[in-house]
């Protein structure tokens, strides 16, 4: 089953390179000989500086073409997915950007890359060009491997060489800076699934709940498979596998690299745990979380550490005009800003008013008693919790009757609004809290009870979007309060609420609310549970009056 966005597997890489160049604002170009020769290069590089070139198989974007720009690479040589570029492609890149100052090749430690870049370098030398090469092998997954793989730490080497070249240093110094970074950076990855290559069947070698430590950026098997622990435990385990050159370094730069398929939310947790870990206090610079050297859609990440000194800090923090580069920044403590004092309202002073107490008690007992019937109605048109939601709010208000400012209608509305927003879940709680709060504001501004309730309904409709006819509690609430505004009796308001609620049973289309997700067949003949709750409250109040 295809889950990838592409036109053709044959043109996948070429199409992606074209998109990169088209979106570069004229900063990038490609060499002719396309698509056999896939070389992305700067259009603005000074001819008198050392050229810095990197590359390898595609599928690791933004590496390598995404790092072509001032302060980083002058050219990137792109192979097909996970395949080394050809000797001719590498040689074409060298010839395109190398002048009298010479050229440095930065190569990840894979056999195909070493051979193709190496032979291209030899051919360039026979043409009289001064070419040097630095091989990156930062992967610590297999400690006894004489040729460790090059993975995400490669971008540190790009930055060191690019910065030295931009400063106008000679080739020997540019190579020294790059070799210094390549020798010092160490990386380790982990993933819960390997990558899937467009046009090929996906390999699923990992069970749910498991992860693989140290797998390569092409999906090669890693160090070991583990039961996936918490992020804190996983990070601690990964850090313990680094040598003393990392674990005991006075200061470190950290790169949290997304291997392609991890949500930003989860990577932020990874970063948090690294900074809280045993070496967290010594991390002086953070890069990422970001996808820098990815493995298509692999669901995993890698940690790269570079011991810091003044020279490394200088080139790591130097700005570059390359959008894909993750800016290095110093971590800091979690800052806590005190909220506005206006947010913490002082508790209202309790006061007594028998009529208000009786009214609230009637509302509460009615809603609590109606819980089973309202839940049953909601089970037919929603998730079956309307009665429970209203009853929970009613119990809270009933329990707090002695704490409420019953003699101050405006303050009472505000106190009820605050309780509804805390106790009553779902949209109903928010809407009724808005209703009560807006009514309280209107009362403070001098409105009468009926006009204040009308203001509450208007605000509820304004924010919630529902109007009469949309099959919500508004269908019962609006006509009932309209009757009160017109000076009619509470009994007339109750009749209006009941008529409005019953009418919802015939409403089979709606724009908002729980019913908007259902078909007309499911809605036909079923009264909206919110409207039913409103009608029952008004009927109970009318009976008590």
């Amino acid at each position: 089953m295809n889950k990838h966005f592409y036109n053709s597997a044959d043109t996948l890489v070429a199409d992606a390179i074209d998109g990169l160049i088209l979106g570069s604002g004229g900063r990038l170009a490609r060499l002719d000989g396309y698509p056999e020769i896939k070389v992305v290069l700067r259009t603005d590089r000074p001819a008198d500086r050392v050229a810095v070139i990197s590359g390898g198989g595609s599928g690791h974007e933004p590496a390598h073409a995404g790092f072509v720009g001032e302060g980083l690479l002058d050219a990137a040589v792109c192979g097909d997915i996970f395949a080394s570029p050809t000797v001719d492609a590498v040689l074409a890149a060298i010839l395109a950007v190398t002048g009298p100052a010479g050229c440095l090749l930065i190569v990840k430690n894979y056999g195909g890359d070493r051979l193709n870049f190496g032979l291209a370098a030899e051919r360039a030398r026979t043409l009289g060009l001064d070419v040097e090469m630095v091989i990156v092998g930062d992967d610590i997954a297999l400690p006894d491997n004489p040729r460790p793989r090059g993975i995400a730490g490669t971008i540190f080497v790009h930055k060191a060489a690019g910065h030295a070249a931009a400063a106008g240093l000679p080739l020997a110094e540019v190579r020294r800076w790059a070799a210094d970074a390549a020798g010092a950076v160490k990386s380790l990855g982990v993933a819960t699934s390997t990558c899937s290559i467009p046009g090929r069947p996906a390999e699923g070698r990992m069970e749910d709940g498991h992860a693989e430590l140290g797998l390569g950026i092409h999906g090669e098997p890693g160090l070991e498979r583990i039961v996936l622990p918490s992020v804190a435990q996983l990070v601690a385990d990964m850090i313990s596998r680094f040598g003393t050159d990392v674990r005991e370094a006075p200061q470190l730069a950290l790169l949290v690299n997304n291997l392609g398929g991890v949500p930003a939310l989860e990577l932020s947790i990874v970063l948090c745990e690294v900074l809280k870990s045993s070496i967290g206090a010594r991390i002086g610079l953070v890069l990422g979380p970001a996808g820098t050297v990815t493995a298509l859609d692999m669901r995993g990440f890698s940690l790269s550490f570079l011991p810091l000194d003044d020279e490394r800090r200088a080139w790591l923090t130097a700005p570059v005009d390359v959008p894909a580069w993750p800016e290095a920044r110093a971590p800091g403590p979690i800052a806590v800003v005190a909220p506005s004092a206006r947010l913490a309202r002082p508790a209202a002073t309790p006061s007594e008013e028998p009529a208000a107490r009786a009214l609230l008690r009637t509302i509460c007992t009615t809603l609590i008693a109606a819980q089973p019937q309202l839940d049953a109605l909601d089970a037919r048109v929603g998730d079956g919790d309307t009665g429970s939601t209203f009853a929970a709010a009613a119990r809270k208000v009933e329990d707090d009757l002695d704490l409420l400012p019953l003699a101050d209608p405006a303050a009472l509305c505000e106190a009820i609004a605050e309780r509804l927003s805390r106790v009553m879940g779902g949209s109903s709680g928010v809407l009724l809290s808005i209703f009560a709060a807006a009514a309280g504001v209107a009362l403070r501004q001098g409105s009468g009870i009926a006009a204040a309730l009308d203001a509450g309904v208007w605000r509820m409709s304004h924010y919630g979007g529902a109007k009469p006819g949309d099959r919500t509690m508004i269908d019962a609430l609006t006509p009932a309060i309209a009757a009160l505004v017109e000076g009619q009796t509470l009994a007339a308001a109750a009749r209006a609420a009941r008529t409005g609620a019953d009418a919802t049973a015939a409403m089979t289309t709606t724009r908002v609310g729980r019913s908007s997700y259902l078909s007309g067949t499911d809605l036909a003949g079923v009264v909206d549970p919110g409207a039913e709750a409103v009608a029952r409250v008004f009927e109970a109040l009318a009976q008590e009056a």
Side-chain angles (χ1 to χ4, degrees):
M1 181 183 296
N2 177 40
K3 297 183 179 180
H4 300 276
F5 300 103
Y6 66 101
N7 297 315
S8 164
D10 295 332
T11 64
L12 174 64
V13 175
D15 291 345
I17 290 173
D18 284 350
L20 176 68
I21 293 172
L22 286 169
S24 71
R27 296 183 303 107
L28 303 178
R30 69 185 191 199
L31 281 184
D32 205 354
Y34 208 62
E36 288 77 18
I37 292 176
K38 294 183 277 289
V39 175
V40 176
L41 63 159
R42 291 175 58 186
T43 57
D44 59 351
R45 70 168 303 272
D48 60 344
R49 295 180 187 170
V50 173
V52 181
I53 300 174
S54 190
S58 296
H60 306 301
E61 286 69 24
H64 303 83
F67 296 130
V68 175
E70 174 67 24
L72 283 168
L73 304 179
D74 294 293
V77 194
C78 307
D80 290 326
I81 298 292
F82 295 167
S84 176
T86 65
V87 174
D88 285 351
V90 178
L91 180 59
I94 295 171
L95 295 174
V97 297
T98 304
C103 166
L104 177 68
L105 303 178
I106 298 172
V107 182
K108 298 192 302 302
N109 196 17
Y110 294 95
D113 287 348
R114 288 198 316 271
L115 292 172
N116 285 285
F117 277 82
L119 180 53
E122 292 303 319
R123 287 187 179 177
R125 291 185 186 111
T126 66
L127 297 174
L129 298 179
D130 195 0
V131 181
E132 294 286 348
M133 186 162 73
V134 168
I135 296 175
V136 186
D138 56 308
D139 187 7
I140 66 161
L142 305 172
D144 299 327
N145 187 351
R147 289 185 174 177
R149 300 171 293 205
I151 54 176
T154 306
I155 73 161
F156 287 105
V157 186
H158 292 167
K159 190 67 164 65
H163 181 76
L169 297 181
L171 179 59
E173 279 297 287
V174 174
R175 187 192 185 286
R176 181 185 72 80
W177 284 40
D180 173 74
V185 66
K186 299 292 184 288
S187 304
L188 179 64
V190 64
T192 57
S193 69
T194 188
C195 51
S196 57
I197 299 176
R200 302 185 204 172
E203 178 190 1
R205 69 172 186 257
M206 293 182 220
E207 300 176 17
D208 285 348
H210 287 70
E212 190 168 310
L213 269 174
L215 73 172
I217 56 174
H218 311 105
E220 310 97 316
L223 175 62
E224 64 178 288
R225 295 190 190 164
I226 60 173
V227 176
L228 186 63
S230 68
V231 176
Q233 292 173 301
L234 177 61
V235 164
D237 183 18
M238 293 176 72
I239 290 173
S240 72
R241 296 171 187 266
F242 286 85
T244 56
D245 54 340
V246 167
R247 289 186 286 110
E248 296 180 5
Q251 279 245 302
L252 292 162
L254 161 70
L255 166 66
V256 179
N257 174 59
N258 190 348
L259 286 166
V262 182
L265 181 72
E266 296 176 29
L267 286 176
S268 290
I269 299 172
V270 171
L271 175 59
C272 177
E273 293 302 334
V274 177
L275 292 175
K276 287 163 55 179
S277 73
S278 59
I279 62 173
R282 291 182 282 113
I283 294 173
L285 290 175
V286 172
L287 291 82
T292 57
V293 181
T294 62
L296 293 172
D297 60 349
M298 184 180 288
R299 203 180 194 288
F301 66 89
S302 61
L303 303 178
S304 297
F305 293 101
L306 176 72
L308 280 178
D309 56 24
D310 290 343
E311 184 179 83
R312 291 172 184 166
R313 180 182 290 275
W315 57 253
L316 261 180
T317 56
V320 295
D321 186 22
V322 179
W325 177 256
E327 179 185 1
R329 62 204 183 278
I334 295 176
V336 178
V337 179
S340 168
R342 299 172 65 186
L343 184 64
R345 285 188 171 183
T349 303
S351 58
E352 184 55 52
E353 170 52 57
R357 177 182 288 270
L359 181 143
L360 285 177
R361 191 175 293 282
T362 296
I363 294 174
C364 292
T365 54
T366 299
L367 291 174
I368 292 169
Q371 177 179 339
Q373 294 87 354
L374 295 177
D375 279 344
L377 274 179
D378 194 32
R380 298 176 64 182
V381 295
D383 51 11
D385 68 348
T386 292
S388 302
T389 301
F390 276 86
R395 290 188 184 96
K396 176 61 177 174
V397 172
E398 188 174 50
D399 289 344
D400 284 359
L401 279 176
D402 291 338
L403 305 176
L404 295 175
L406 298 174
D408 183 342
L412 177 60
C413 286
E414 292 164 0
I416 290 174
E418 187 270 336
R419 283 162 173 78
L420 294 181
S421 67
R422 280 193 289 118
V423 176
M424 195 174 181
S427 57
S428 296
V430 176
L431 290 170
L432 287 173
S433 182
I434 290 171
F435 170 75
V441 171
L443 287 167
R444 287 201 181 280
Q445 294 173 346
S447 296
I449 295 291
L453 295 176
D454 191 48
V457 172
W458 188 91
R459 285 290 179 187
M460 180 193 291
S461 178
H462 173 72
Y463 288 113
K467 295 179 174 55
D470 282 331
R471 192 185 165 85
T472 69
M473 70 177 81
I474 290 286
D475 287 293
L477 199 55
T478 297
I481 291 176
L484 296 178
V485 171
E486 293 170 1
Q488 298 182 43
T489 63
L490 197 52
R495 289 192 295 272
R498 172 51 60 194
T499 300
D502 290 346
T504 62
M507 298 175 187
T508 55
T509 59
T510 180
R511 303 174 301 111
V512 297
R514 64 175 71 81
S515 298
S516 62
Y517 302 104
L518 301 176
S519 67
T521 303
D522 294 325
L523 298 174
V526 183
V527 173
D528 177 76
E532 177 65 21
V534 171
R536 290 190 179 210
V537 165
F538 271 95
E539 287 170 341
L541 292 174
Q543 189 172 359
E544 292 290 328

